[in-house]
Amino acid sequence: MIKDDKSILKLADGQRLTMRRFFPAGTEDYIVVDGDSTLVWVKNENRFLEIGKAWSCQFQLEMPNARTTITFKEIETAEELALYDELRKFHYRGGGGIGRTVPLIGTSDQWDLPSVLGFIEISSSMIANTARKRFFDFPYGEPGGPHWKSWDRAATKKFSNIICRISRFVIHPEIRGLGIAKHFTAAAREYAASRWHFGGYRPRFLEITADMLRYYKFVDPSFALMGETEGNEHRLAKDMTYLIRKSRSDLGTKGMPQGGGGIMTLQRAYAKTLLKYLEAKNQSLHDVISTLRHDAAVLDQDMWEALHRLNRRPKPSFVSGLTPCATAYIDIRRKFLHGLPAPKLAIGRTRQWKFEGVEVRAIAKMAQTSDARLLQDAFGFVGSDLKSTVVQKLDLQLTSGEVTLVCGASGSGKSLLLNALSSLLQGHAVDLYDTDSASLLISGEVDHRAKVGELPALPEGSVPIALRGRASLEDFIRLAAKCGLAEPQMFVRPVESLSSGQQYRLQIALAFLNNPEVLLIDNFCEPLDRYTAIAVSKGVRQLAKELNVAVVVATATYDRILPLGDVNQTILLRRGDKPVTNFKARDEVHKGL
């Protein structure tokens, strides 16, 4: 019985045991209370397992210029339960585990981090998983323990309980991209190995099946790809045709086959909804099924929401070993099915762009009003023009795969330098602009041109996924996640509904998606909070290497950015003085500043 944040267990001798909300025991478990210990009997291993005290473990989260301890634990208090329930709304599929489920939360005492950083749920395994069936269809054995020659129906029925799974996983939206996900999955492995039990067995394997793994591999390296689940696209039309035909008999919907468990109950519900739609729209079953599979946007919103789950697409499924024997088995299967890890291929040859004598000069017309002349006379800058050299002659080199930081006080010419680099790389005229009231002149040389990327404008009324051009949805989501946008709702909302920080991260992702050779990013991370800036800096550094792009970022808040990234060179601009360049070590940069 569940009451608020407690579980009340009625024991066979009539005693009532009050424990935490997600106590890992249930019907048919043999429990012994011995003083401060609460033990459960694991019959297939002929041993007791301590489950009374709430489980916890700690990991150190290392971030540039920051380090914090994360405690992963079972939920114990009403406050922790409330925060867990609040975070559940960020898992859009709902549902979660079947059978036994235990959520683990991640907490931190860091004052500017959320109280609960996220949660990961451990659940009983599902019997049917086609990816697992292929992966496990190979002899396995333990001395005196589970063993099979092939993963047939008998092995599935007998040994499914040695597998548990991660059924749901959510990280607080404010801190995605910091590398916490791998700590969560590592904590899940520790919990499963030390505390999980079900049906008289301890687990040997932990698996996870998730759409997001197609776009972003967030699990720790111990997880091996088993393959993809089967989905139902290949039999969708056949199943629905059969159920619809049965429902059109004299018995109506009662003519559909009854029983069959949860899957058949869902299938019957989908068929009933589909039947209503067919009758209301006077469409054929073939057309509707084809629409669901290939062009769902044709459906109106109500019918899309009612029918979209009917078409279950294949999902990637991963598994990790929890014992030495299981880990060795996974290594063998991984090598056999997927081969040895392929050598990393060069993304492209390293390219360099050498600039010489880059200079930016500005000329502005002064107002000729009475007040303007009074001010000129008072401060002694009499004349019709204001002339200044904003950036003095600068020699520099940009290299693909590296990050260059341009920093300096506000007004020191950072944005103008980026404009000058862009103009030179694209072979534009040296006059950046020349009007009646102002002129901005650049001079200098670069040895060859480049495809330059800058932050693109976001058209009003557009949605992010429509701005990706010819790039695949997979590439867009992967790049967006590395740029700190891992909240899928953002991808389908109008851009004007996003915050300025979210729009900024989207612009960075779209800029990378355009495959530039040199990417120039002004006001780098200035609209972002501390932890999002860490995530974006890390992602930009990785993308520069992965995509072989020379990245130049500029910011006045270099005291925030310098400790975050492994920049390859730094250019410090000072008004009225020569630029300071090539401070590569962080302590040297700080000393130079």
Side-chain angles (χ1 to χ4, degrees):
M1 182 173 67
I2 305 300
K3 187 175 181 181
D4 299 326
D5 60 326
K6 303 296 182 184
S7 288
I8 302 174
L9 282 70
K10 184 177 180 180
L11 305 183
D13 61 1
Q15 293 185 59
R16 291 183 179 271
L17 187 65
T18 300
M19 302 298 289
R20 57 194 178 276
R21 167 67 178 80
F22 296 98
F23 185 63
T27 305
E28 298 185 4
D29 279 329
Y30 181 71
I31 294 175
V32 174
V33 180
D34 182 15
D36 293 335
S37 296
T38 302
L39 308 171
V40 64
W41 179 249
V42 183
K43 63 181 179 181
N44 287 294
E45 297 187 11
N46 199 34
R47 56 167 291 193
F48 280 105
L49 178 68
E50 168 63 53
I51 59 172
K53 297 177 182 177
W55 176 91
S56 68
C57 73
Q58 291 185 331
F59 287 91
Q60 293 295 318
L61 177 62
E62 301 285 349
M63 297 175 287
N65 205 35
R67 181 183 184 185
T68 188
T69 300
I70 302 177
T71 300
F72 297 95
K73 63 191 297 294
E74 293 181 74
I75 294 172
E76 297 181 84
T77 68
E79 180 183 5
E80 290 174 346
L81 180 61
L83 291 169
Y84 158 70
D85 285 335
E86 182 67 19
L87 276 176
R88 290 173 68 185
K89 68 184 181 183
F90 293 110
H91 193 282
Y92 306 109
R93 287 197 176 275
I98 59 173
R100 179 169 298 160
T101 297
V102 176
L104 307 176
I105 58 174
T107 65
S108 172
D109 292 333
Q110 189 84 16
W111 72 273
D112 55 350
L113 285 174
S115 301
V116 173
L117 307 175
F119 71 85
I120 193 165
E121 288 183 358
I122 315 298
S123 298
S124 313
S125 68
M126 299 178 113
I127 291 179
N129 183 325
T130 49
R132 181 205 306 152
K133 187 179 188 316
R134 292 189 297 268
F135 194 87
F136 279 27
D137 198 23
F138 186 79
Y140 175 86
E142 298 177 12
H147 59 277
W148 61 82
K149 291 184 177 180
S150 65
W151 193 253
D152 55 16
R153 181 171 296 186
T156 300
K157 183 177 180 180
K158 185 173 183 180
F159 295 119
S160 286
N161 288 334
I162 70 169
I163 304 163
C164 56
R165 68 188 181 103
I166 296 172
S167 55
R168 290 198 295 185
F169 181 22
V170 172
I171 292 179
H172 197 291
E174 292 181 7
I175 55 171
R176 293 174 184 174
L178 295 180
I180 295 177
K182 288 180 172 59
H183 291 306
F184 267 99
T185 55
R189 291 184 70 257
E190 286 203 15
Y191 177 84
S194 62
R195 282 296 182 92
W196 187 261
H197 65 98
F198 191 70
Y201 281 102
R202 296 286 308 285
R204 272 64 168 180
F205 303 93
L206 176 65
E207 66 182 25
I208 179 171
T209 300
D211 280 313
M212 193 60 185
L213 286 166
R214 187 184 309 282
Y215 310 113
Y216 184 54
K217 188 181 175 184
F218 53 79
V219 293
D220 76 67
S222 71
F223 283 81
L225 175 65
M226 291 193 290
E228 291 198 338
T229 58
E230 186 176 38
N232 71 340
E233 287 186 309
H234 63 294
R235 65 174 191 272
L236 177 59
K238 181 180 178 180
D239 290 349
M240 288 298 109
T241 299
Y242 173 73
L243 292 174
I244 293 293
R245 181 169 57 82
K246 289 290 186 180
S247 70
R248 285 173 170 166
S249 68
D250 293 340
L251 294 174
T253 55
K254 292 183 179 179
M256 296 183 191
Q258 302 301 304
I263 294 296
M264 278 304 302
T265 300
L266 280 175
Q267 293 284 68
R268 286 190 291 269
Y270 292 146
K272 291 176 183 178
T273 303
L274 187 55
L275 183 61
K276 291 180 182 178
Y277 181 76
L278 294 176
E279 293 173 348
K281 300 293 185 179
N282 194 28
Q283 289 187 315
S284 71
L285 176 63
H286 176 271
D287 289 342
V288 174
I289 295 298
S290 179
T291 297
L292 275 173
R293 293 179 63 183
H294 304 296
D295 192 9
V298 173
L299 295 174
D300 61 60
Q301 186 64 24
D302 288 342
M303 290 315 300
W304 157 242
E305 291 181 5
L307 297 176
H308 76 281
R309 290 185 184 275
L310 191 152
N311 187 25
R312 298 188 303 279
R313 293 177 172 81
K315 300 178 183 179
S317 192
F318 285 74
V319 67
S320 179
L322 302 176
T323 65
C325 186
T327 299
Y329 179 79
I330 287 174
D331 287 342
I332 291 171
R333 295 302 286 150
R334 175 168 21 198
K335 292 175 182 177
F336 180 79
L337 292 176
H338 306 302
L340 295 172
K344 291 188 176 180
L345 301 177
I347 302 172
R349 65 185 180 87
T350 299
R351 300 193 66 187
Q352 293 179 329
W353 294 267
K354 295 181 180 180
F355 296 82
E356 292 183 357
V358 179
E359 189 169 70
V360 181
R361 290 168 291 159
I363 302 174
K365 300 290 185 182
M366 288 192 285
Q368 302 300 314
T369 64
S370 296
D371 285 345
R373 289 184 172 176
L374 180 64
L375 194 62
Q376 290 180 54
D377 183 54
F379 288 93
F381 54 95
V382 177
S384 59
D385 297 327
L386 277 176
K387 300 178 182 180
S388 62
T389 300
V390 184
V391 178
Q392 297 194 26
K393 289 188 180 295
L394 171 66
D395 297 335
L396 73 148
Q397 176 177 292
L398 302 181
T399 302
S400 57
E402 295 187 353
V403 177
T404 296
L405 172 64
V406 177
C407 57
S410 179
S412 60
K414 299 180 297 297
S415 299
L416 294 180
L417 176 57
L418 262 60
N419 289 336
L421 297 180
S422 176
S423 181
L424 290 169
L425 286 168
Q426 296 178 81
H428 292 168
V430 294
D431 292 354
L432 209 56
Y433 62 80
D434 190 359
T435 67
D436 292 339
S437 59
S439 298
L440 189 64
L441 309 175
I442 68 170
S443 58
E445 295 181 353
V446 63
D447 55 355
H448 57 275
R449 298 183 184 182
K451 180 183 178 183
V452 178
E454 298 174 347
L455 300 194
L458 301 177
E460 186 175 347
S462 61
V463 295
I465 56 173
L467 299 175
R468 69 181 195 272
R470 296 182 179 181
S472 68
L473 185 61
E474 288 83 358
D475 284 343
F476 170 74
I477 293 177
R478 182 179 64 85
L479 283 177
K482 289 206 170 183
C483 293
L485 280 180
E487 183 62 31
Q489 279 190 343
M490 296 178 188
F491 303 147
V492 294
R493 289 164 47 187
V495 294
E496 57 266 28
S497 72
L498 305 179
S499 71
S500 60
Q502 291 165 347
Q503 292 182 18
Y504 178 78
R505 284 172 275 164
L506 173 62
Q507 288 176 294
I508 295 176
L510 292 174
F512 272 111
L513 211 56
N514 285 329
N515 297 314
E517 294 176 298
V518 177
L519 177 57
L520 308 173
I521 307 176
D522 203 0
N523 302 314
F524 186 62
C525 290
E526 289 178 18
L528 307 179
D529 64 87
R530 175 190 182 193
Y531 293 107
T532 305
I534 292 174
V536 172
S537 297
K538 175 184 174 184
V540 166
R541 187 72 187 91
Q542 291 175 346
L543 288 173
K545 289 182 178 179
E546 287 180 21
L547 304 178
N548 210 35
V549 179
V551 178
V552 184
V553 300
T555 179
T557 58
Y558 48 83
D559 57 323
R560 293 178 66 211
I561 301 304
L562 279 171
L564 302 185
D566 181 20
V567 298
N568 299 93
Q569 65 176 333
T570 303
I571 301 170
L572 174 64
L573 300 182
R574 294 186 176 121
R575 295 178 65 180
D577 200 350
K578 292 181 179 180
V580 180
T581 61
N582 291 327
F583 288 97
K584 292 188 178 181
R586 290 180 187 166
D587 54 349
E588 288 180 330
V589 172
H590 284 296
K591 182 179 179 181
L593 297 175

